[in-house]
Amino acid sequence: MHSCAVRLELYIPAAQSLKSKRAVLRPHVERLRKLASLSVAEVGNHDFWQRASLGVAIVAPDAAQLDSLIERVRRYFDDQVDVELLEVAISYLEEP
C-alpha cells in the first residue's frame, strides 16, 4: 500500500467574500472526492477571500497508481478557469 497527503494552494480571483469563496470551492471539493474516491478538506487560509488550501489524502496499491492519482488531481485544477493552482506539496507516507 502506498499513500500520500497532498496540499494544494489555490487562488480564487473572483471571490469577493468568504461566502463567495466557499461557493467556488464547494463544487471542486465534491468533484475531487468523486474523481477517485479521494478524501478532501479545506485545511488552511480560512480567513482569506481569494486564497484556499486543500488537503487531499490518496491511497493506492502501488507507487505507479499513486503517481497517476496525484497527476489526475493536478490536471483537474489545470483545466479549471475559476481557480488557479499556485503550489502543490506532497508528503509521502511510509508503511510501518
Side-chain angles (χ1 to χ4, degrees), residues 46-83:
H46 297 285
D47 295 330
F48 296 99
W49 296 355
Q50 295 183 322
R51 293 291 301 267
S53 297
L54 295 182
V56 182
I58 304 174
V59 178
D62 57 57
Q65 190 171 355
L66 184 69
D67 291 338
S68 174
L69 289 169
I70 294 168
E71 188 58 32
R72 283 178 71 183
V73 170
R74 284 183 191 210
R75 273 183 283 146
Y76 170 82
F77 281 106
D78 287 343
D79 295 338
Q80 304 308 310
V81 295
D82 58 345
V83 295

